[in-house]
Amino acid sequence: MFKFKNRKELDMLNGSLWDKILIFALPLALTGVMQQLLNAADVAVLGQFVGKNAMAAVGNNTALIGLLVNLFMGLSLGANVIIAQNIGARKFEQIHNAVYSAFMMALVVGIGLCGIAQILVTPIFELLEVPESVAPMAETYFRIYAIGMPVMGIYNFEAAIFRSHGDTQTPLVALTVASFLNIGLNLLFVLQFDLGVVGVAWATVIANAVSAFILFRALRQSAQLIRLDFEESELDKNCLKEIIRIGLPAGIQGMVFSLSNLLIQAAINSLGPDAMAASAAAFTIEINVFCLTSGFGQAATTFVSQNYGAGNLPRCKEATKIALGLNSLLMIILSAFILFFAEPLVTFFNSDPEVVRLGVIRIWYIIAPEIISVVMEIVSGALRGYGISLAPAIITLIFVCGIRITWVFTVFANNPTYETLMAVYGLSWFFTMIFLIIAYRFYTKNLKVVPV
């Protein structure tokens, strides 16, 4: 009934790995960049045409939005792993049910988070002590953004379904269309209709809806194993349990980063609007660098998942090593470029001298040790591919969140400068990397193939 291969699917089970990992990871990294362009367009348009307070308002939402996005992405990784393992094991009926179950989960979780976000936004912003000059715009932006959570969740799960089958190009096309639409709508709503923060928020919601719809049509019309079939597929409770078992810890791992970043955002807020605007600009740059790392991390997850499902453990380990080597090489090149052009890159978002100065400081503190993040992401991704998701989440909780909370209330409290605050990123990454490597060696030492 279904053809197993299409022109975009990669054969992850046979042949060379380095070229296929590149083919898989680079479009995925570009997809991440396109996702970030949705926020970058908001920040840039507001910074250039409205003012630094409006820019700071959107930047203040970055960590909170990241918290929710990471939950979606973590759960979708669970779907990615389960579908990929079933593809490797050639269990075709389970694939169809897993695709349908993942889609329905995305819809339900998205609607639920939308409601929760609307209820909690005001107390969260009060907890973060957002300055009065920024708070109303920041809350307005987040409330509108939250309306789009169902379609944002659906997109992430749809993209995970395509990734599990080796197709990272279709999600890239969808996000490219959405990103250009978002930029156009931002300019229209701000320059033509003078809607400010409200305009860029609605532009982002519309763009997210378009990207989700494009992938929905592609899944419905696909002649492949991953076709979304409402008529012949059924909700698989065991599949949902496995998606949650693998995906929820992965989501928690990502949320831990965002939770710690919320705490750091509160500390940044205490330093004033210039620091807030500088962090918004620098974060927009650095998160695009992380997209490269994330792309290879998800490549490690998917290649390990399929080969683990096929029972080929040596190939799983080889894929992990190659993903780590390729990611490290490309990260060194990209980091050097960003550091060299740090000042003009920050100036693109806002030309205020103090904003630029602080933005450059953040870029150096974050980008210089980014190679540590590469190791963290590849090791975590490989473990998730084996179905081991809880251990990386616990390690991240202890060493990322723990170190950053301790730092903010001790070191930063005694020396409340921007530089002191930024120093905690590299430190927390280093200890997390060490213990993730230990966990990887422990779990893979006597790993056996378990039937899906």
Side-chain angles (χ1 to χ4, degrees):
M1 180 178 177
F2 291 94
K3 296 179 181 178
F4 188 77
K5 291 193 177 286
N6 66 45
R7 64 182 181 86
K8 295 179 181 177
E9 183 200 354
L10 294 175
D11 183 0
M12 302 181 187
L13 305 177
N14 303 285
S16 62
L17 281 167
W18 71 269
D19 53 337
K20 293 174 183 176
I21 289 175
L22 277 176
I23 292 171
F24 183 97
L26 292 180
L28 197 52
L30 288 174
T31 301
V33 171
M34 289 298 172
Q35 282 182 308
Q36 297 308 319
L37 278 178
L38 295 176
N39 182 62
D42 295 351
V43 174
V45 169
L46 291 174
Q48 294 294 337
F49 301 111
V50 180
K52 63 184 180 183
N53 280 350
M55 177 181 170
V58 174
N60 191 82
N61 279 283
T62 301
L64 183 56
I65 289 172
L67 186 74
L68 299 168
V69 170
N70 282 326
L71 178 59
F72 280 131
M73 293 187 68
L75 288 172
S76 70
L77 277 172
N80 184 2
V81 170
I82 295 304
I83 297 170
Q85 286 184 357
N86 279 307
I87 289 173
R90 299 300 197 267
K91 296 183 177 181
F92 302 135
E93 183 177 351
Q94 284 94 323
I95 296 171
H96 305 154
N97 291 337
V99 169
Y100 175 76
S101 299
F103 180 85
M104 297 307 296
M105 174 183 281
L107 181 61
V108 172
V109 172
I111 293 173
L113 285 179
C114 175
I116 293 171
Q118 298 293 345
I119 295 170
L120 295 181
V121 59
T122 299
I124 288 175
F125 276 29
E126 290 175 354
L127 183 65
L128 291 175
E129 297 180 350
V130 181
E132 292 183 4
S133 60
V134 172
M137 287 186 291
E139 183 172 334
T140 297
Y141 180 88
F142 183 77
R143 286 191 181 279
I144 296 173
Y145 189 97
I147 294 173
M149 283 182 187
V151 291
M152 183 174 63
I154 288 172
Y155 169 82
N156 278 290
F157 273 77
E158 290 169 336
I161 293 168
F162 279 103
R163 286 197 304 271
S164 69
H165 201 229
D167 180 3
T168 56
Q169 300 172 37
T170 302
L172 174 59
V173 171
L175 253 296
T176 301
V177 172
S179 295
F180 281 107
L181 174 64
N182 185 54
I183 293 171
L185 290 176
N186 275 340
L187 295 173
L188 176 66
F189 291 160
V190 171
L191 298 182
Q192 184 67 32
F193 297 108
D194 195 27
L195 293 177
V197 168
V198 172
V200 298
W202 277 114
T204 302
V205 171
I206 294 170
N208 282 330
V210 169
S211 64
F213 179 74
I214 291 173
L215 292 191
F216 176 79
R217 287 293 301 273
L219 284 174
R220 288 287 290 159
Q221 296 177 356
S222 175
Q224 305 303 320
L225 286 168
I226 57 170
R227 181 174 183 268
L228 178 59
D229 193 336
F230 292 105
E231 294 78 20
E232 298 183 12
S233 300
E234 61 183 29
L235 203 63
D236 189 326
K237 293 182 180 179
N238 290 329
C239 174
L240 288 173
K241 290 179 181 178
E242 284 298 292
I243 291 176
I244 293 172
R245 182 185 69 81
I246 297 171
L248 186 58
I252 292 173
Q253 181 178 343
M255 290 174 72
V256 165
F257 276 95
S258 295
L259 281 170
S260 61
N261 287 339
L262 275 174
L263 179 63
I264 292 176
Q265 183 64 52
I268 290 171
N269 292 348
S270 70
L271 298 175
D274 286 338
M276 294 171 65
S279 284
F283 180 85
T284 303
I285 296 166
E286 70 202 35
I287 195 63
N288 284 287
V289 177
F290 176 74
C291 288
L292 181 66
T293 301
S294 179
F296 279 92
Q298 292 182 54
T301 297
T302 307
F303 275 77
V304 170
S305 295
Q306 279 208 18
N307 284 281
Y308 186 57
N312 193 341
L313 288 177
R315 190 172 174 86
C316 292
K317 295 177 181 179
E318 183 184 359
T320 303
K321 293 178 181 178
I322 292 174
L324 178 59
L326 290 172
N327 196 1
S328 298
L329 176 62
L330 292 175
M331 181 56 65
I332 290 171
I333 296 171
L334 181 58
S335 296
F337 175 84
I338 296 294
L339 292 173
F340 186 80
F341 291 103
E343 185 171 332
L345 286 171
V346 176
T347 304
F348 173 78
F349 294 96
N350 192 283
S351 58
D352 184 287
E354 184 62 9
V355 171
V356 173
R357 184 185 74 84
L358 293 173
V360 170
I361 289 173
R362 174 167 176 138
I363 286 177
W364 272 92
Y365 272 96
I366 303 297
I367 299 298
E370 188 70 40
I371 193 69
I372 301 174
S373 183
V374 168
V375 181
M376 290 168 52
E377 194 69 16
I378 297 298
V379 171
S380 295
L383 285 171
R384 286 192 293 265
Y386 293 116
I388 302 165
S389 193
L390 184 59
I394 292 174
I395 291 171
T396 304
L397 175 64
I398 294 172
F399 292 100
V400 170
C401 197
I403 289 175
R404 292 181 185 181
I405 290 173
T406 303
W407 186 273
V408 168
F409 287 108
T410 56
V411 179
F412 176 73
N414 292 323
N415 185 26
T417 67
Y418 195 72
E419 291 86 344
T420 301
L421 189 59
M422 293 300 106
V424 73
Y425 282 102
L427 182 68
S428 61
W429 287 346
F430 176 77
F431 284 101
T432 306
M433 176 191 70
I434 295 299
F435 282 89
L436 280 173
I437 291 173
I438 293 172
Y440 177 83
R441 291 180 175 177
F442 173 79
Y443 281 105
T444 58
K445 186 176 181 179
N446 298 306
L447 194 65
K448 296 180 181 179
V449 176
V450 179
V452 178

